[in-house]
Amino acid sequence: MTNIISSSSISPLICFFVFFFWLGHGGAQGIQHSAAAINGADKIRSQFLHLLRTRRSPQVPLTVEPSKPVRHPLFQQVPTPTFSEAMESCPKADTKNLKEQLKEENFYLHTEAGEQGRLPVLILSLKDSKQKRRPAVVFLHSTNKNKEWVRPLLEAYASREYIAIAIDSRYHGERAHNLTTYRDALVSSWIKGDTMPFLFDTVIPPFSFSLVDCKSLFLPFSSYCSKKVWDLIKLADYLTQRKDIDPKRIGITGESLGGMHAWFVAFVDTRYAVAAPIIGVQGFRWAIDNDKWQARVDSIKAVFEEARVDLGKSAIDKEVVKKVWDRIAPGLASIFDSPYSIPTIAPRPLLILNGADDPRCPLDGIKTPTKRARKAYAKAHSSNNFKLIVQPGIGHEMTSLMVKEASDWMDRFLKQ
């Protein structure tokens, strides 16, 4: 049976009529007054939403549809990975017969119309807990993998009294059909310009208003906008309504693509109280300007090859790279890049974990965002809430050290 979580919405056009009617009857003065109080974080979140609302499927009520465990998860890589020492190393509580003590939930969240609007969710938790409301941690998988891949991490967090959650990113896991689903979606995005599968589609929503939202128009407009995003935000909508989760203690982390997702959703949705992106934070524009884009491009090369041919180039160059980012993830290499989005996470706790020799996330490319983040956290009197850990001699790899540091970070801020 499908369980409806949210109420139906009304036409955005009606709400805009309400807004402009109010504006013409004295609301302008209030907007001007409140605009002075809108900070840079609100503004960039509002700009991000304004972009992303242009490529959405129609909204549907948020509903929950029960599903069954996935016995043979789809990996879009050959050979299929079978073991991760780093994930298996995640700190566990000394719980006898842990697997027997775990409660497993499998379901779909319907987040928007269309096939990709069906979000697969896996949740693990201890069956018997003395805590009425527990902290929650969302762990996001890397490119070509799936939610089942991160199960060892979910088990470890669950053993320590967390509600542990994983999802399949768009075009991955249960949202994929074959070994090329993600690659094909990227190429299609370049050709049609109708989706943003690389990063944004897993994070962001359509722009819509409910009756309650219309009332929010009487608040600073960009402050309202900053509270709405999609797959991971719809997940937050669901998690914050659960009676076994403390809505003020939800953390998010992830590996590689999952680390990028964790970075972006922490920037957009303040309900994620703690973030620890692993080998995900990078400077996209810096890489273009400094000719350090090759490793990132190679990770999803098909879309860049398609663009190269369309642009009449004999080889992929920085012009091709810039045009692809502008097409499939507008603003990723400009106004939403790490120097601008990372500082907006302050004052919420943020731990960035990277390898010193990572070619996809070059260390020099995050010097500026790190410097700006430290300034933002200092201004918010929360310098201890920001940390960068760079592991020497490590490339684009999630290590046991990174997993433990992220785990300790969550314990530090979510178990208070």
Side-chain angles (χ1 to χ4, degrees):
M1 179 179 292
T2 298
N3 181 27
I4 298 178
I5 296 298
S6 61
S7 60
S8 60
S9 61
I10 64 175
S11 169
L13 184 60
I14 295 174
C15 286
F16 276 116
F17 283 146
V18 172
F19 174 68
F20 285 113
F21 175 82
W22 168 72
L23 194 66
H25 288 75
Q29 184 177 358
I31 282 287
Q32 290 170 355
H33 176 75
S34 62
I38 296 173
N39 61 31
D42 289 326
K43 182 177 179 180
I44 189 174
R45 290 184 187 120
S46 179
Q47 291 173 324
F48 194 36
L49 177 64
H50 178 74
L51 158 72
L52 293 158
R53 73 190 188 195
T54 64
R55 300 189 190 181
R56 307 287 359 126
S57 299
Q59 186 179 8
V60 299
L62 182 63
T63 59
V64 178
E65 176 191 349
S67 64
K68 297 180 179 180
V70 178
R71 301 304 181 192
H72 303 286
L74 175 62
F75 291 85
Q76 295 180 67
Q77 61 190 91
V78 179
T80 298
T82 57
F83 177 76
S84 169
E85 181 179 354
M87 283 191 287
E88 293 288 351
S89 70
C90 190
K92 298 181 179 67
D94 186 13
T95 303
K96 186 177 180 180
N97 300 323
L98 174 60
K99 292 185 184 296
E100 297 177 8
Q101 304 302 318
L102 292 174
K103 173 185 176 182
E104 177 173 342
E105 301 172 61
N106 292 273
F107 57 88
Y108 304 110
L109 281 180
H110 289 265
T111 64
E112 67 180 359
E115 183 182 36
Q116 291 299 319
R118 195 170 183 241
L119 173 64
V121 181
L122 168 63
I123 297 181
L124 295 183
S125 60
L126 287 179
K127 294 176 183 177
D128 299 316
S129 174
K130 296 179 181 179
Q131 298 185 40
K132 183 177 180 180
R133 287 184 177 268
R134 284 171 272 180
V137 167
V138 178
F139 198 100
L140 305 168
H141 64 78
S142 56
T143 301
N144 294 328
K145 293 187 175 68
N146 48 59
K147 64 185 184 301
E148 285 72 30
W149 174 248
V150 304
R151 188 183 181 98
L153 284 161
L154 302 187
E155 293 180 356
Y157 275 102
S159 76
R160 304 198 327 266
E161 294 280 3
Y162 286 90
I163 307 293
I165 305 107
I167 67 166
D168 283 330
S169 295
R170 296 209 176 197
Y171 310 100
H172 287 78
E174 292 186 78
R175 301 166 104 174
H177 303 292
N178 53 46
L179 293 176
T180 65
T181 297
Y182 182 46
R183 183 193 72 183
D184 295 344
L186 291 167
V187 172
S188 176
S189 177
W190 165 260
I191 295 171
K192 299 178 181 179
D194 58 345
T195 58
M196 292 176 278
F198 171 63
L199 182 55
F200 294 169
D201 276 353
T202 293
V203 179
I204 305 300
F207 191 72
S208 62
F209 294 93
S210 68
L211 185 58
V212 173
D213 294 331
C214 282
K215 295 177 182 177
S216 298
L217 286 169
F218 294 89
L219 299 173
F221 192 63
S222 65
S223 177
Y224 157 75
C225 290
S226 70
K227 292 175 172 55
K228 294 283 183 180
V229 279
W230 205 236
D231 274 357
L232 289 169
I233 306 314
K234 285 296 183 180
L235 178 66
D237 288 344
Y238 168 78
L239 296 177
T240 54
Q241 293 182 38
R242 284 179 61 121
K243 294 182 179 180
D244 58 350
I245 290 178
D246 183 341
K248 294 182 179 180
R249 293 190 293 159
I250 300 176
I252 191 159
T253 181
E255 173 192 14
S256 192
L257 177 64
M260 286 185 272
H261 284 144
W263 148 25
F264 264 84
V265 78
F267 141 52
V268 175
D269 191 337
T270 58
R271 289 177 299 178
Y272 288 99
V274 181
I278 302 172
I279 59 173
V281 177
Q282 59 208 272
F284 285 89
R285 183 70 205 197
W286 180 93
I288 294 172
D289 292 342
N290 292 274
D291 201 33
K292 297 292 186 180
W293 45 263
Q294 292 82 358
R296 172 54 63 200
V297 166
D298 285 346
S299 69
I300 51 172
K301 195 169 184 177
V303 62
F304 292 93
E305 283 291 349
E306 184 77 18
R308 175 192 67 77
V309 173
D310 288 350
L311 296 171
K313 298 270 190 173
S314 60
I316 298 172
D317 59 17
K318 63 171 58 180
E319 181 186 0
V320 173
V321 175
K322 184 179 184 303
K323 286 186 179 296
V324 168
W325 291 142
D326 287 346
R327 178 73 165 171
I328 73 170
L332 182 61
S334 55
I335 60 174
F336 306 128
D337 202 355
S338 55
Y340 311 103
S341 55
I342 286 293
T344 68
I345 298 173
R348 287 168 292 140
L350 170 64
L351 171 65
I352 298 174
L353 296 139
N354 277 25
D357 301 326
D358 189 341
R360 296 187 190 178
C361 304
L363 186 57
D364 286 343
I366 60 172
K367 286 183 177 179
T368 296
T370 298
K371 181 179 179 180
R372 292 182 180 179
R374 288 195 172 114
K375 184 177 180 180
Y377 277 85
K379 186 176 181 180
H381 306 289
S382 56
S383 294
N384 290 335
N385 286 7
F386 176 76
K387 190 174 183 179
L388 167 67
I389 295 179
V390 178
Q391 189 170 353
I394 298 298
H396 194 69
E397 174 190 358
M398 183 177 74
T399 66
S400 297
L401 172 65
M402 295 176 186
V403 168
K404 184 179 187 305
E405 290 288 353
S407 174
D408 291 346
W409 189 258
M410 295 297 172
D411 284 353
R412 175 182 171 187
F413 291 101
L414 295 179
K415 291 217 168 175
Q416 295 178 348

